[in-house]
């Protein structure tokens, strides 16, 4: 079966057309055709105004957007010149709108051909992030540094860190899929007086065995005990029961941290061990989320010289004022950003000072073209102060740092009650999925590694619940709802991929042929067109998710595709169909599976084949 019958007439180039999105070629043809019919309109402007999925048409143009006067007169000029071709099969006028229907066999052929070709290219070049359908080279190899997750050593990996991790991983993937070189950086909370307190606590309550088994949990337990002891001492000191302030745990913690700051090797060795063991555990936890980092950095890595440099520049440029108590502040009141401390009265640095110095260190080390930092919305003022201060300091990277925010998670708990550790949440989700998988004994027996599979579905459930709504929105964590197979939750997306995988597995006698060797005509079904049309919009969904830093855009796209496939499932069968129909349908399902898997990986999910 020759491709000649679906050959598309040449269309002059238009700025803004994405050659990696077939539907853009059809939109470009409509734009040229309408512009020619009117005679005095720029085709590029018309192209920008060709809408998809409106008014019940494949493509539509709102006449008043380009022409004043009576829409029906302008519409008649277009209708009079219309002749069906391999781009457009029909044109209809509805009020002030021109409605175009795609030539479905031609569109089907070219859409499937593009997906197939790009999927093959991605499979042949697994190290490339810009071969798969939906990707682009727009970034041109520019360097993006993304700072996300940022948990504290020896403290629980709380819901805010989880959100930052999930959103950050997707933003990294979206940028790589748009041609950026991405460096993933984890800025750990790994410095401060609390680590002096932790060191004392470990000397009193620590266990080497428990430290090696689960460093983060054990250090947290130690910290809780020593902190309670410190609080009790404070009460006694305030009541006059303790009179020597230097003998308190708090004072001892300050001395240990001072020794750390002064480079005392014994104090630093203990801290370094806690940090290294905690990172090892974090790497394991991140692996459960299908997330990785290129650099583990942190507060401890910001050089004192860089912080002092920031203070010196602020003073040289007369950006600072002194408070009565001797603290040094950057005055940002005329920018409605209040005043921000950069050096406390006792001469020590603070959060903003570390971020000013850290920005310089990161730029010197990584030479980024753009830098994204992902934290909770509560830190918005801080990062506005940071960016404005860098701008006033006239740093070369001022304006290149972007703060992405997210809402809060409420009620994060397992079925057994409130917890503080992410591993507990993931384990609980895994158990729920495992129980559900075991309910179908026949299918369960076919899964090679049911525990690993249930862990993947469990993490999918947790992540999709987080990404289903706009990132700025708060949401209530619900382990029961997010692990449900009924409704728009993570397991539904995995289930859809598994069903698509099963088609080829269950039809071993049907060959996946080349696009030019299948009968495109048998794919002329309204439900198939709905699926293909949605696949055609995937590059736009990726671009929108990238532009607005919004993972929910892709999640919504995946749910819609899963519903469309589910709707077509009962009527578009491969098993029992005549051979030529079976081959065409199998080719279709293979391409759908390929794009869904690509979208899932973009969302940092691991597509599974059985469940």
């Amino acid at each position: 079966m020759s491709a000649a019958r679906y050959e598309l007439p040449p269309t002059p180039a238009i700025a803004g057309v994405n050659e990696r999105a077939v539907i853009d070629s059809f939109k470009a043809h409509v734009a040229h055709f309408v512009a020619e019919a009117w005679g005095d309109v720029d085709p590029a402007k018309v192209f920008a105004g060709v809408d998809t999925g409106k008014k019940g048409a494949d493509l539509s143009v709102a006449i008043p957007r380009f022409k004043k006067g009576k829409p029906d007169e302008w519409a008649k000029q277009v209708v009079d010149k219309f002749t069906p071709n391999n781009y457009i099969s029909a044109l209809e006028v509805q009020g002030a709108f021109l409605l175009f229907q795609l030539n479905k066999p031609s569109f089907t052929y070219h859409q499937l051909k593009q997906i197939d070709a790009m999927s093959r290219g991605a499979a042949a070049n697994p190290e490339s992030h810009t071969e798969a359908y939906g990707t682009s080279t727009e970034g041109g190899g520019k360097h993006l540094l993304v700072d996300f997750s940022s948990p504290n050593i020896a403290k629980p990996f709380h819901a805010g860190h989880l959100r930052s991790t999930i959103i950050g991983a997707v933003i990294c993937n979206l940028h790589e899929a748009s041609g950026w070189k991405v460096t993933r950086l984890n800025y750990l909370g790994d410095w401060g007086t609390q680590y002096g307190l932790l060191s004392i606590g470990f000397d009193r309550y620590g266990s080497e065995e428990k430290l090696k088994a689960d460093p983060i949990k054990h250090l947290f337990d130690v910290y809780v005990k020593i902190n309670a002891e410190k609080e009790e001492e404070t009460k006694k000191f305030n009541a006059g029961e303790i009179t020597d302030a230097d003998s308190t745990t708090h004072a001892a913690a300050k001395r240990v941290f001072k020794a750390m700051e002064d480079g005392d090797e014994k104090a630093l060795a203990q801290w370094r061990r806690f940090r290294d063991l905690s990172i090892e555990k974090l790497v394991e936890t991140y692996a459960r989320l299908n997330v990785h980092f290129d650099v583990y950095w942190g507060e401890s890595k910001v050089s004192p010289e860089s912080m002092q440099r920031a203070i010196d520049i602020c003073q040289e440029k007369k950006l600072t004022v002194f408070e009565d108590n001797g603290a040094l502040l950057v005055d940002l009141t005329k920018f409605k950003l209040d005043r921000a401390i950069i050096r406390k009265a006792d001469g020590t640095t603070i959060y903003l000072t570390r971020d000013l110095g850290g920005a310089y260190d990161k730029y010197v080390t990584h030479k980024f073209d753009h830098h994204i930092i992902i934290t909770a919305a509560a830190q918005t003022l801080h990062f506005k102060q940071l960016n404005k201060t860098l701008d006033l300091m006239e740093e070369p990277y001022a304006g290149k740092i972007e703060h992405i925010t997210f809402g809060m998670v409420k009620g994060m708990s397992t079925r057994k009650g409130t917890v503080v550790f992410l591993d507990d949440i993931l384990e609980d989700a895994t158990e729920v999925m495992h129980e559900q998988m075991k309910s179908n004994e026949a299918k369960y027996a076919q899964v090679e590694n049911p525990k690993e599979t249930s862990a993947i579905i469990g993490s999918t459930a947790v992540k999709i619940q987080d990404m289903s709504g706009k990132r700025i929105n708060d949401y209530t964590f619900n382990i029961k709802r997010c692990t449900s197979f009924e409704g728009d939750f993570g397991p539904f997306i995995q289930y859809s991929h598994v069903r698509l995988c099963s088609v080829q597995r269950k039809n071993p006698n049907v060959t996946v042929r080349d696009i030019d060797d299948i009968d495109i005509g048998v794919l002329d079904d309204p439900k198939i067109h709905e699926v293909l049309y949605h696949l055609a919009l995937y590059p736009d969904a990726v671009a929108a998710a990238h532009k607005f830093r919004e993972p929910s855009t892709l999640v919504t796209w995946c749910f819609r595709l899963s519903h469309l496939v589910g709707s077509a499932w009962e009527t578009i069968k491969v098993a029992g169909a005549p051979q030529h129909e079976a081959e065409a349908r199998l080719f279709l399902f293979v391409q759908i599976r390929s794009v869904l898997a690509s979208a899932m990986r973009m969302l940092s999910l691991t597509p599974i084949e059985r469940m």
Side-chain angles (χ1 to χ4, degrees), residues 18-227:
N18 180 2
E19 294 180 359
R20 292 171 164 229
V22 158
I23 201 164
D24 270 20
S25 300
F26 288 77
K27 288 168 65 178
H29 173 78
V30 166
H32 269 291
F33 168 63
V34 171
E36 269 185 30
W38 287 337
D40 60 351
V41 181
D42 181 358
K45 291 183 178 179
V46 180
F47 175 78
V50 178
D51 289 320
T52 54
K54 292 186 178 179
K55 298 288 181 180
D58 293 323
L59 303 173
S60 60
V61 175
I63 296 170
R65 183 169 177 173
F66 305 100
K67 290 294 181 182
K68 296 179 180 178
K70 296 180 178 179
D72 55 339
E73 293 179 2
W74 292 112
K76 187 175 185 305
Q77 290 184 23
V78 179
V79 171
D80 287 348
K81 291 183 179 294
F82 177 71
T83 302
N85 59 20
N86 273 354
Y87 282 109
I88 303 298
S89 62
L91 166 60
E92 178 190 345
V93 179
Q94 189 181 103
F97 291 87
L98 298 168
L99 307 182
F100 298 87
Q101 299 299 340
L102 300 175
N103 181 311
K104 289 179 173 56
S106 175
F107 170 70
T108 299
Y109 171 81
H110 289 285
Q111 183 60 64
L112 289 175
K113 183 175 182 178
Q114 183 173 64
I115 293 172
D116 182 48
M118 295 189 76
S119 298
R120 289 174 186 271
N125 299 279
E127 297 302 312
S128 172
H129 300 288
T130 57
E131 297 284 343
Y133 176 64
T135 63
S136 77
T137 56
E138 177 195 3
K142 286 182 287 190
H143 185 204
L144 173 71
L145 179 66
V146 185
D147 175 341
F148 64 109
S149 191
S150 305
N152 297 305
I153 299 299
K155 287 190 179 180
F157 194 111
H158 65 62
H161 299 137
L162 176 63
R163 290 217 76 185
S164 176
T165 304
I166 293 170
I167 293 166
V170 179
I171 286 172
C172 289
N173 293 345
L174 286 166
H175 277 81
E176 285 181 331
S178 300
W180 286 73
K181 176 194 170 190
V182 177
T183 298
R184 295 161 169 83
L185 181 144
N186 198 338
Y187 184 84
L188 302 171
D190 63 355
W191 200 245
T193 309
Q194 68 267 33
Y195 295 102
L197 184 63
L198 181 64
S199 181
I200 291 170
F202 190 79
D203 289 341
R204 295 181 190 175
Y205 304 114
S207 159
E208 287 295 331
E209 186 180 345
K210 290 180 180 178
L211 179 68
K212 289 174 182 173
D214 194 340
I216 295 175
K217 189 172 191 311
H218 181 56
L219 290 175
F220 175 64
D221 290 341
V222 166
Y223 186 81
V224 168
K225 286 181 181 178
I226 194 66
N227 196 54

Side-chain angles (χ1 to χ4, degrees), residues 287-290 426-427 429-434 437 449-463 494 606 608:
R288 297 182 71 176
L289 290 169
N290 197 24
L426 294 177
E427 196 56 45
T430 297
E431 286 177 15
V432 174
M433 294 294 97
H434 198 207
M437 285 170 61
N449 192 331
K451 189 68 176 175
E452 182 181 334
T453 299
S454 58
I456 292 171
I457 304 170
S459 70
T460 298
V462 171
K463 291 161 91 170
Q494 288 286 9
T606 302
I608 56 175

